[in-house]
């Protein structure tokens, strides 16, 4: 069953940046793109379980802080070695200044 | 006789990445990846990290057998190329069989430098391969006494792993400080202190006189002071590039197989990449270096493949590496010894960055250490600044209030 969960305030994430959000034993990454849209993915890199929120956001790419594995955080697509498994993404909406993400 | 294709000698990070990159570049000829180890190509960085003993049997594969098969890459594992015939364009094996090539990549890597004094001992171990990591991990047990020779990355990472597994660790370094070759003294000092606070007995400026095997274990004799008793020793005193095959084929060797900026040797059909090659580093005006890092192996493997597939692209990357020890990670982008002055930026929780500037103010390298990935993002941004040959104001670099990303936009 899917549910919408409040992840953070919209202002908590700077433009072209990412923060970590933990919920019910899981960890997620919440992104704000340079064109001011919000996105959410699983929080750990698919290569070695490193928190992506410590990584660098450039345009629509999140780069893992450990080994520079790169993903498109809007689609979850892995962008080449060392990452080959895509990142799971989650629907996001803004409600009363809060970032909500839809979990299953 | 097989059709001529691409032959890659060496199935480590570099060779395996090159094989896949050839396909990504559209190369359609037969592609053969030859490795001396019997394992499928795997990632080496975890071998010296703390997890080694808990997960020693679990190889971290670069790709599984199905991925190689799907890409049409023929794997010849447990095979050693003994000669290259450049006139006939073939490589040969001990069995007498040969494989013809139209393009070849030498990704032969490096091997641990041996310590002649230790050759007679049965208790001195080295680390390069998964099998060697397993041999070391199987000797890690509560209360075991380990003497580690060498205060470089292999020695220090294994000291952290050994101490985490309850061993009593002594680490001997001949130089007056740790990590003298590639790491600024401020960061080496932090690393040394973390080891000491975890109970590692670090001894600097130590000369070893010899090793004597005992009924159980080994005695390490020092030039001065009492000998050290150990259950076993690990020798980590650097690596030597595997250049013999190239040298015997008449290719130039100069602290590694000598290549140009496109990673070609002086034979236009033979490339070399990764730990085994010396190449001109364009960001430092063509300074010739040999790098022993995971990222360089990946990048050069990929670049060599592009050029084997018809490209003519010059290497332009900034060197980068990391090391994990206890809860700390250090990262270095660029070569700090290119700098003549250092600017420090302190971050939260004891983490800090060092920016290394050339005489003209250009940022040439950055290094940092902190808990977890505290410094990763900033080092990545600094790497981009180095690649752009940026000349940032020292005051901006020193102040944690100035986001490095804003310097990138400038």
């Amino acid at each position: 069953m899917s549910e919408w969960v409040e992840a953070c305030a919209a202002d908590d994430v700077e433009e072209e940046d990412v923060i970590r959000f933990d919920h019910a034993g899981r960890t997620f990454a919440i992104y704000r793109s340079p064109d001011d849209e919000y996105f959410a993915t699983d929080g750990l890199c698919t290569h070695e379980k490193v928190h992506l929120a410590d990584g660098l956001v450039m345009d629509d790419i999140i780069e893992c802080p450990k080994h520079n594995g790169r993903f498109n955080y809007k689609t979850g697509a892995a962008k080449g070695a060392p990452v080959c498994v895509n990142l799971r993404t989650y629907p996001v909406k803004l409600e009363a200044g809060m970032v909500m993400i839809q979990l299953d | 006789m097989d059709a001529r294709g691409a032959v890659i000698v060496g199935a480590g990070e570099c060779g395996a990445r090159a094989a896949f990159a050839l396909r990504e570049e559209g190369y359609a000829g037969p592609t053969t990846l030859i490795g001396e180890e019997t394992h499928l190509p795997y990632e080496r960085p975890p071998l010296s990290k703390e997890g080694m003993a808990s997960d020693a049997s679990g190889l971290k594969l670069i790709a599984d057998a199905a991925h190689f098969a799907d890409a049409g890459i023929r794997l010849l594992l447990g095979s050693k190329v003994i000669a290259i015939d450049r006139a006939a364009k073939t490589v040969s094996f001990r069995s007498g069989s040969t494989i013809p090539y139209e393009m070849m990549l030498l990704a032969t890597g490096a091997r641990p430098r041996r310590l002649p004094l230790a050759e007679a001992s049965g208790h001195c171990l080295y680390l390069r391969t998964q099998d060697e990591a397993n041999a070391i991990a199987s000797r890690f047990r509560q209360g075991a006494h380990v003497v580690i020779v060498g205060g470089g990355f292999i020695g220090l990472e294994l000291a952290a792993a050994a101490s985490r597994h309850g061993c009593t660790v002594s680490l001997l370094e001949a130089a007056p400080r740790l990590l003298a070759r590639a790491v600024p003294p401020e960061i080496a000092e932090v690393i040394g202190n973390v080891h000491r606070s975890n109970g590692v007995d670090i001894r600097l400026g130590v000369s070893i006189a010899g090793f004597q095997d005992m009924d159980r274990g080994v005695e390490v004799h020092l030039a001065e002071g009492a000998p050290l008793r150990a259950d076993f020793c690990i020798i980590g005193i650097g690596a030597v590039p595997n250049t013999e095959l190239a040298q015997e084929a008449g290719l130039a060797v100069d602290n590694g197989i000598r290549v140009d900026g496109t990673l070609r040797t002086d034979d236009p059909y033979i490339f070399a990449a990764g730990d085994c090659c010396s190449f001109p580093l364009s960001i430092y005006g063509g300074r010739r270096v040999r790098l022993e890092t995971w990222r360089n192996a990946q990048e050069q493997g990929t670049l060599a493949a592009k050029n084997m597939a018809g490209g003519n692209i010059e290497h332009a990357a900034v060197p980068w590496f990391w090391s994990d020890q206890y809860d700390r990670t250090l990262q270095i982008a660029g070569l700090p010894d290119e700098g003549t002055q250092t600017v420090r930026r302190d971050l939260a929780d004891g983490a800090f960055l060092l920016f290394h500037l050339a005489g003209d103010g250009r940022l040439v390298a950055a290094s940092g250490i902190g808990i977890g990935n505290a410094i990763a993002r900033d080092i990545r941004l600094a790497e981009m600044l180095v690649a752009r040959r940026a000349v940032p104001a020292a005051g901006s670099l020193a102040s944690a209030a100035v986001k490095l990303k804003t310097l990138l936009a400038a």
Side-chain angles (χ1 to χ4, degrees):
Chain A
M1 210 179 88
S2 77
E3 54 166 340
W4 285 93
V5 175
E6 196 174 287
C8 59
D11 291 346
D12 290 347
V13 200
E14 294 183 32
E15 264 183 36
E16 202 178 39
D17 209 346
V18 55
I19 65 166
R20 173 174 163 181
F21 168 58
D22 292 345
H23 177 76
R26 298 165 68 185
T27 186
F28 304 91
I30 312 293
Y31 307 83
R32 185 170 171 185
S33 69
D35 47 3
D36 208 16
E37 281 190 88
Y38 291 82
F39 298 88
T41 71
D42 273 338
L44 299 178
C45 180
T46 58
H47 176 238
E48 273 193 5
K49 309 253 174 282
V50 171
H51 283 284
L52 290 169
D54 290 327
L56 180 65
V57 177
M58 296 288 276
D59 297 326
D60 50 6
I61 297 293
I62 173 71
E63 192 175 77
C64 174
K66 200 79 202 176
H67 307 133
N68 311 125
R70 305 170 91 215
F71 303 90
N72 181 321
Y73 58 82
K74 297 182 176 178
T75 64
K79 305 300 280 183
V83 293
C84 43
V85 178
N86 292 344
L87 204 54
R88 187 161 172 207
T89 59
Y90 300 87
V92 172
K93 65 180 179 186
L94 284 180
E95 236 174 56
M98 301 302 291
V99 180
M100 314 284 294
I101 73 172
Q102 189 178 29
L103 305 180
D104 38 275
Chain B
M1 180 100 162
D2 298 336
R4 285 189 189 278
V7 167
I8 301 169
V9 183
E13 188 72 38
C14 183
R17 295 294 176 200
F20 284 106
L22 276 171
R23 291 296 183 237
E24 284 155 22
E25 292 300 312
Y27 180 76
T31 298
T32 306
L33 180 61
I34 305 166
E36 288 182 30
E37 292 178 66
T38 53
H39 302 294
L40 283 166
Y42 60 87
E43 297 189 8
R44 280 189 214 285
L47 300 187
S48 53
K49 307 296 189 288
E50 283 177 34
M52 60 179 293
S54 59
D55 194 23
S57 59
L59 286 173
K60 185 155 180 55
L61 296 180
I62 292 167
D64 60 24
H67 276 100
F68 285 102
D70 290 347
I73 298 163
R74 177 162 66 141
L75 281 169
L76 281 185
L77 301 176
S79 298
K80 184 175 167 64
V81 171
I82 58 162
I84 302 166
D85 183 335
R86 287 166 55 195
K89 287 209 239 169
T90 59
V91 296
S92 58
F93 300 87
R94 188 159 285 124
S95 63
S97 66
T98 61
I99 298 179
Y101 64 85
E102 60 172 344
M103 289 285 173
M104 174 163 46
L105 173 63
L106 294 169
T108 50
R111 60 179 181 270
R113 175 173 287 125
R114 308 285 297 193
L115 181 60
L117 283 171
E119 289 299 298
S121 168
H123 297 290
C124 290
L125 306 179
Y126 293 83
L127 176 61
R128 178 75 185 180
T129 65
Q130 177 73 34
D131 294 346
E132 288 166 338
N134 289 349
I136 290 171
S138 71
R139 293 194 180 211
F140 281 168
R141 57 179 61 88
Q142 193 72 31
H145 189 185
V146 188
V147 169
I148 295 177
V149 179
F153 285 112
I154 292 285
L156 287 164
E157 289 180 0
L158 287 175
S163 92
R164 279 289 162 94
H165 287 95
C167 302
T168 303
V169 184
S170 300
L171 185 144
L172 313 179
E173 167 58 50
R177 73 165 176 96
L178 299 171
L179 297 167
R181 197 164 57 104
V183 176
E186 297 92 326
I187 291 180
E189 191 183 323
V190 172
I191 296 273
N193 289 338
V194 176
H195 279 276
R196 287 185 194 98
S197 68
N198 279 277
V200 175
D201 167 28
I202 292 184
R203 303 189 188 191
L204 303 172
V206 171
S207 311
I208 294 172
F211 297 82
Q212 187 175 5
D213 282 3
M214 312 298 282
D215 288 344
R216 293 174 65 103
V218 55
E219 228 172 48
V220 184
H221 294 268
L222 309 177
E224 289 174 43
L228 294 170
R229 280 296 296 268
D231 293 288
F232 67 104
C233 299
I234 302 169
I235 316 283
I237 54 169
V240 180
N242 293 321
T243 57
E244 289 77 3
L245 192 60
Q247 192 147 27
E248 283 158 21
L251 298 170
V253 169
D254 171 11
N255 177 36
I257 303 167
R258 191 181 170 92
V259 295
D260 66 14
T262 66
L263 307 181
R264 245 185 208 91
T265 65
D266 40 19
D267 180 325
Y269 305 103
I270 303 179
F271 295 73
D275 292 17
C276 71
C277 83
S278 79
F279 68 100
L281 201 47
S282 64
I283 54 157
Y284 301 139
R287 170 181 170 184
R288 186 159 285 274
V289 297
R290 189 173 67 78
L291 300 176
E292 296 167 356
T293 70
W294 182 75
R295 189 191 297 163
N296 180 61
Q298 276 196 352
E299 284 174 347
Q300 289 197 333
T302 305
L303 177 62
K306 287 180 176 173
N307 290 339
M308 290 165 80
N312 191 31
I313 306 166
E314 296 266 340
H315 180 276
V318 176
W320 175 90
F321 69 89
W322 86 96
S323 175
D324 301 328
Q325 295 173 42
Y326 308 97
D327 58 353
R328 310 299 165 105
T329 292
L330 79 84
Q331 291 193 3
I332 298 184
L335 302 178
D337 69 359
E338 284 284 320
T340 56
Q341 51 169 323
T342 301
V343 174
R344 177 173 171 136
R345 170 186 290 213
D346 284 294
L347 307 173
D349 302 320
F352 65 90
L353 304 168
L354 300 174
F355 298 98
H356 309 279
L357 305 175
D360 59 1
R362 184 182 143 203
L363 181 67
V364 287
S367 48
I369 187 162
I371 293 172
N373 289 311
I375 49 85
R377 197 188 293 205
D378 285 337
I379 292 292
R380 180 70 177 108
L381 287 163
E383 181 197 330
M384 294 183 203
L385 289 168
V386 171
R388 292 188 187 183
R389 296 171 157 80
V391 185
S396 303
L397 293 174
S399 166
V402 178
K403 293 195 159 202
L404 292 181
K405 217 175 201 175
T406 62
L407 301 181
L408 204 56

